[in-house]
Amino acid sequence: MYDNLKKIIENSKRIVFFGGAGVSTESGIPDFRSADGLYSQKYDVMPEIMLSHTYFMSHTEEFYKFYRDKMLIGDNIMPNEAHYKLAELEKQKKLTAVITQNIDGLHQKAGSKTVYELHGSIHRNYCMKCNKFYSADYIRSCEGVPKCDCGGIIKPDVVLYEESLDSETIEKSIFAIENSDTMIVAGTSLTVYPAAGMIRYFNGSNLILINLTETQWDKNADIVIHDKVGNVLGNI
């Protein structure tokens, strides 16, 4: 299986990588839907509600308590073998784009340049009043609701429940998928839409799925590996 994967990658010229939370778990970031994931933990308010646009607007201070505790990773969190391998493939001009559902910025930290962040990034934060930019460090260092110099509330540039994905990011992602010869889908259960539906735009030769558990697309893939993403990509 690994030999076949290695041959496919060696012979590919336009690889697109589509990744989910499982890509970052080996860096110490918990996922959402596994038995030990964020959504399996007990809170007074469900995480899905706390991460909604409505909750952000109506309970902003409570949102930020949860966000800082569970979503805003520290600078000590480093990329893993999967992130570094993808950056290497991009340097070799084999990989044309990384499409990620993660908001941690670890792909860029590993050296990847063309990264389409479907759900935004913790590293971008904007005043809702004047649109001034603020870093993750600023949000981390504040107490309570972070405010701009103009007095406006600062909002993370992450896609909350009830919010739409960025149309330009979607268009660029679909274009990359449609023009790829190999698509590697990894670390995702392919249950979160509309992101998961992007796999339908792939018309290339090799569909590769890497995930700890089965997905609905396993039967359609050319190669299926049930393992950690870093283990797989680090050994090819």
Side-chain angles (χ1 to χ4, degrees):
M1 193 74 71
Y2 284 81
D3 288 340
N4 290 340
L5 175 58
K6 189 173 182 179
K7 287 179 182 177
I8 287 174
I9 289 177
E10 286 176 348
N11 294 324
S12 297
K13 296 181 179 179
R14 298 181 308 281
I15 301 171
V16 163
F17 180 86
F18 182 95
V23 178
S24 293
T25 51
E26 291 169 81
S27 293
I29 300 175
D31 64 5
F32 287 81
R33 290 173 173 78
S34 68
D36 299 320
L38 186 63
Y39 290 171
S40 298
Q41 300 176 31
K42 295 188 181 299
Y43 301 94
D44 293 336
V45 181
M46 293 172 58
E48 295 96 322
I49 294 176
M50 284 191 281
L51 293 175
S52 69
H53 179 82
T54 297
Y55 194 83
F56 173 82
M57 298 300 293
S58 60
H59 297 78
T60 313
E61 188 166 356
E62 289 83 355
F63 167 88
Y64 267 109
K65 286 179 182 177
F66 179 80
Y67 180 78
R68 287 192 181 98
D69 185 39
K70 297 297 182 182
M71 311 296 291
L72 194 59
I73 65 170
D75 292 334
N76 60 315
I77 301 295
M78 299 300 294
N80 59 57
E81 288 185 284
H83 298 106
Y84 288 119
K85 185 63 179 183
L86 293 168
E88 178 187 324
L89 290 173
E90 185 183 48
K91 286 181 181 178
Q92 295 172 356
K93 300 192 181 303
K94 284 186 170 293
L95 185 141
T96 58
V98 169
I99 303 167
T100 180
Q101 298 177 79
N102 297 332
I103 61 174
D104 50 48
L106 291 181
H107 285 293
Q108 292 93 328
K109 197 170 186 177
S112 290
K113 304 299 182 184
T114 304
V115 182
Y116 300 134
E117 297 169 310
L118 296 176
H119 296 156
S121 173
I122 63 170
H123 299 286
R124 298 188 300 269
N125 304 272
Y126 298 95
C127 172
M128 298 177 68
K129 187 176 180 180
C130 72
N131 207 39
K132 182 178 178 179
F133 169 85
Y134 287 88
S135 68
D137 287 338
Y138 181 84
I139 304 300
R140 196 180 292 113
S141 65
C142 291
E143 292 185 4
V145 178
K147 296 287 186 68
C148 176
D149 296 335
C150 75
I153 294 174
I154 299 169
K155 182 181 182 296
D157 187 19
V158 298
V159 179
L160 303 176
Y161 286 100
E162 304 169 343
E163 295 180 346
S164 300
L165 303 188
D166 178 69
S167 59
E168 183 178 352
T169 303
I170 292 175
E171 290 173 6
K172 289 181 177 179
S173 299
I174 291 174
F175 180 84
I177 292 170
E178 288 179 331
N179 289 277
S180 64
D181 54 12
T182 294
M183 184 174 184
I184 302 174
V185 180
T188 172
S189 58
L190 292 172
T191 57
V192 179
Y193 286 83
M198 289 187 176
I199 195 172
R200 300 181 186 277
Y201 291 95
F202 178 66
N203 298 306
S205 304
N206 309 293
L207 178 61
I208 299 161
L209 293 186
I210 307 168
N211 198 49
L212 283 175
T213 58
E214 293 182 4
T215 77
Q216 59 181 325
W217 278 87
D218 282 17
K219 62 183 181 296
N220 303 106
D222 298 284
I223 292 180
V224 177
I225 301 177
H226 292 145
D227 197 354
K228 294 181 178 179
V229 186
N231 284 349
V232 177
L233 295 186
N235 284 294
I236 57 171

